Amino acid sequence: MPQTVSASYFTRLKQGVAGRSPSQLAQAAVKTSLALLKRATPAARAAARADQAFDRQWGTDTSRQIGMNALDFPVALKNGSFHYQASGAHVLDEAIALAAINPADYVFIDYGCGKGRVVLLAAAKPFARAIGVEYSGLLTDIARDNSAIFSARGGAKVTPEFWQGNAADYPAPAGALFCYLYNSFGVEILHGCLDRLEAAKAQDPSRPILLAYINPQFGDAVAARSAWRERTAANDIRLFECTARFDA
């Protein structure tokens, strides 16, 4: 038994360091340490209990965390992505209140949706559509299973939808958009997502496109782009709006 555990440990360790530079490894260590400290706070423990209560109520699997090493990401994307951690229900409510919108008027997109909890919550509001974008096939499969369970038990008022692939490649759907990002990936993928949203805005300048960026590690990168205006911020959420102003 000890030999099996040791082999498994070293396999995960090898997967975690493969293809990463010393600086990337240092950054990953810092992110992990900060995440562990954040989860140790009383507020984080209370949120974790609420998350587990959601899964007990609906029979879903959304609260169990999965490290990057266990996910089916190529090294290039793994270096620009963060481990899976579900967003709490209260965060979505805070984002909606901050934006002062009627969810029924907007298409909801969760970039880096993981196991899909926030997409399920958005489908229960309901938004006009509730869409989750996720690279990992493993997490997408779990999200779809969760959606089937949640819908069968009457939780969803619209059918949750899931798109698997690199978020930077996701083509924005028609309609007013409320985009939700819980710091799921790095700045390179973020810029790809913003490029897509700006192109969608250029095609239809009249439609609103909002971005609720939670734990906004790269929020200044959004604010630096001429096509985005920061409307407000509160509770570790920065709310941006895509405008019709673009660089020449």
Side-chain angles (χ1 to χ4, degrees), residues 175-208:
L177 304 181
F178 186 78
C179 307
Y180 184 95
L181 174 60
Y182 196 118
N183 198 36
S184 303
F185 36 70
V187 70
E188 183 176 347
I189 298 175
L190 172 62
H191 279 307
C193 295
L194 298 177
D195 287 343
R196 291 273 184 174
L197 292 171
E198 290 169 15
K201 180 71 173 180
Q203 291 176 351
D204 182 3
S206 65
R207 65 164 165 166

Side-chain angles (χ1 to χ4, degrees), residues 118-133:
V118 174
V119 180
L120 304 185
L121 293 168
K125 292 297 180 186
F127 280 81
R129 295 172 65 188
I131 304 168
V133 176

Side-chain angles (χ1 to χ4, degrees), residues 9 60 128 165 233 237:
Y9 170 80
T60 50
I237 303 172

Side-chain angles (χ1 to χ4, degrees), residues 124-165:
K125 292 297 180 186
F127 280 81
R129 295 172 65 188
I131 304 168
V133 176
E134 174 56 50
Y135 182 87
S136 168
L138 169 64
L139 292 179
T140 303
D141 287 344
I142 295 173
R144 287 174 175 150
D145 289 343
N146 286 331
S147 173
I149 294 169
F150 189 72
S151 298
R153 296 190 176 188
K157 296 179 181 177
V158 297
T159 302
E161 306 170 45
F162 296 96
W163 186 91
Q164 183 187 350

Side-chain angles (χ1 to χ4, degrees), residues 13 19 22 32 48 54 62 76 80 83 91 107 111 117-118 135 138 147 200 205 210 221-222:
L13 182 61
T32 299
F54 177 91
T62 66
H83 72 281
V91 180
V107 174
Y111 287 94
R117 181 197 295 156
V118 174
Y135 182 87
L138 169 64
S147 173
L210 304 178
V222 183

